Amino acid sequence: MKTNKKSIALAVAAIAACGAAMAQTSPVRPSYTYPATPQGEGPAAVQLGGSPLYATPWVYAGFGNDSNVLFTDGNELDSAYQIYSAGVSLDARDANSVFMMSLLGSHGRYNDSEADNYTDSSARASYDLAFTSRSFLRASWDYMRGHDPRGTTDRGIGDRPDKYFVSTPGLMYSYGAPTAPGRMEFWASRAVKRYLNNRDVTEGSDRNTKDYGGAFYWRVMPKTQLLVEARGTDLRYQMEDSPLSGREARYYAGVTWDATASTSGTIKVGRLEKRFRSDLPAFKGGSWEAMVSWLPRSYSRLDIYSSRQPIESTGFGNFILSDASGIIWTHGWTSFLTTEANARIQKDKYKGFDRKDDITGFGLKANYKFRRWMTLGAEYQHYERDSDLQGYDYDKNLWLISATFTM
């Protein structure tokens, strides 16, 4: 039983563009994988003239209701909202290289809160080059113009959402065939983040972030590898007197496996160190990343994830130490009906400030493939924050129905 996974993914991507709290991303840095050849499922691609480029366009429309637009404790602003998105993915291949690019634009509109309307966009490109059967290089560039919805940061609720852009070029090199006894990876990227409005409160969040690291994978069974990994992050805030500039280091050891007894996953445990260039106290402690998938049936999948990571401060404390765990169950009831149930627990501890938050969320999504080129969706999400700092609790309910159109 097969589902139109790409159509569903497009709808989920468009929903994520609205900036809802607790957007789910994988907590595990993925290992390098050479782009697979499309299998012919999903939206149709169109060749651009006689060029090697194939384009897959799509459009999306969603209509819903947000019970607490501003994430406030009491006096909630309730509003209907709409999301309109359009995008295209490009793909070009030859025997030894793959070029991929995606463009996305999204506009959100709130019926009862015009100040929270937004227009976001993103562009992502990557070029993979196979020098030999065991030597691979990926060059990538991500660019995004986005926003922080009002109430999602500790800067306070201004007149408009905080708008920003992030530009991130990166390189990754992998040496070792996918089935080799050993494999090495090295990567580096540099993200430039700049805020574009509300400069009286956002100037202090402008920063450059360099990420770099390496990993070694050692195959101990046909589909199981042990790994060691070291990652570094250099954070430089652009405000000269900012005390938050510094460095982070992570050291992990773990295991990764693929399709062993219907499961696959990666589990890493290790150490996190965060040091500041100012006289703020350093942090040293445990850290982990884990993602495990179980497929009891070919049409049913259970994903469980957990991580501990630092989050940059937006007003309170030196940084936030965040522990997040969750579960996602995706089930294909028929070839055209798929559902997803999810739940998440997050505990945020503010370092250098007396505050702890417990954040929980759960939801249910359904996607109905009405036609090959049209997928209808419905979603409900509930979020709740319990903070020991007075005035920072909230409850939020989101309802959404949607339609995604492809070629």
Side-chain angles (χ1 to χ4, degrees), residues 53-248:
L53 276 174
Y54 285 80
T56 307
W58 58 273
V59 295
Y60 168 94
F63 306 88
N65 190 83
D66 187 336
S67 70
N68 190 353
V69 176
L70 302 180
F71 299 83
T72 55
D73 182 10
N75 299 317
E76 292 92 347
L77 173 59
D78 185 289
S79 178
Y81 68 97
Q82 301 87 47
I83 305 171
Y84 305 101
S85 299
V88 62
S89 61
L90 303 173
D91 190 303
R93 299 166 183 260
D94 61 24
N96 298 310
S97 63
V98 178
F99 170 77
M100 301 176 72
M101 185 174 184
S102 65
L103 303 171
L104 167 67
S106 183
H107 176 70
R109 182 178 182 276
Y110 290 85
N111 292 13
D112 299 312
S113 184
E114 183 180 347
D116 291 286
N117 295 350
Y118 65 88
T119 299
D120 293 345
S121 60
S122 66
R124 296 186 174 186
S126 64
Y127 180 71
D128 288 77
L129 180 62
F131 299 105
T132 67
S133 61
R134 58 177 179 265
S135 180
F136 306 90
L137 177 69
R138 172 176 293 168
S140 63
W141 175 66
D142 291 354
Y143 180 85
M144 180 176 67
R145 292 180 73 96
H147 73 288
D148 295 329
R150 293 196 294 169
T152 60
T153 72
D154 294 324
R155 302 187 192 104
I157 298 177
D159 295 333
R160 299 280 176 173
D162 299 333
K163 300 177 183 180
Y164 61 84
F165 77 82
V166 182
S167 178
T168 313
L171 287 173
M172 172 178 279
Y173 177 73
S174 175
Y175 184 81
T179 58
R183 185 166 55 87
M184 295 182 292
E185 293 176 1
F186 305 94
W187 63 89
S189 66
R190 182 178 187 269
V192 174
K193 185 172 187 177
R194 298 291 185 270
Y195 279 85
L196 304 172
N197 67 333
N198 300 333
R199 295 299 289 167
D200 55 329
V201 293
T202 61
E203 183 181 5
S205 293
D206 291 351
R207 60 184 179 269
N208 297 340
T209 305
K210 295 179 182 178
D211 283 300
Y212 47 89
F216 177 74
Y217 297 83
W218 176 37
R219 190 173 302 278
V220 293
M221 297 178 65
K223 294 185 177 181
T224 302
Q225 302 171 78
L226 300 180
L227 67 91
V228 291
E229 179 180 321
R231 304 208 308 253
T233 301
D234 184 87
L235 289 153
R236 291 186 179 270
Y237 283 80
Q238 296 306 289
M239 186 176 286
E240 290 187 5
D241 58 350
S242 174
L244 300 179
S245 294
R247 294 181 177 179
E248 298 171 2

Side-chain angles (χ1 to χ4, degrees), residues 241-301:
D241 58 350
S242 174
L244 300 179
S245 294
R247 294 181 177 179
E248 298 171 2
R250 297 174 179 83
Y251 307 97
Y252 292 119
V255 60
T256 182
W257 70 98
D258 181 40
T260 302
S262 299
T263 68
S264 60
T266 300
I267 298 176
K268 305 182 229 180
V269 295
R271 185 172 180 81
L272 164 67
E273 298 180 0
K274 186 174 179 68
R275 301 177 183 275
F276 298 92
R277 289 185 171 84
S278 64
D279 58 359
L280 293 178
F283 172 83
K284 299 179 181 179
S287 180
W288 65 85
E289 297 181 347
M291 171 71 84
V292 177
S293 298
W294 175 47
L295 285 78
R297 298 288 188 272
S298 61
Y299 49 83
S300 191
R301 179 188 181 104

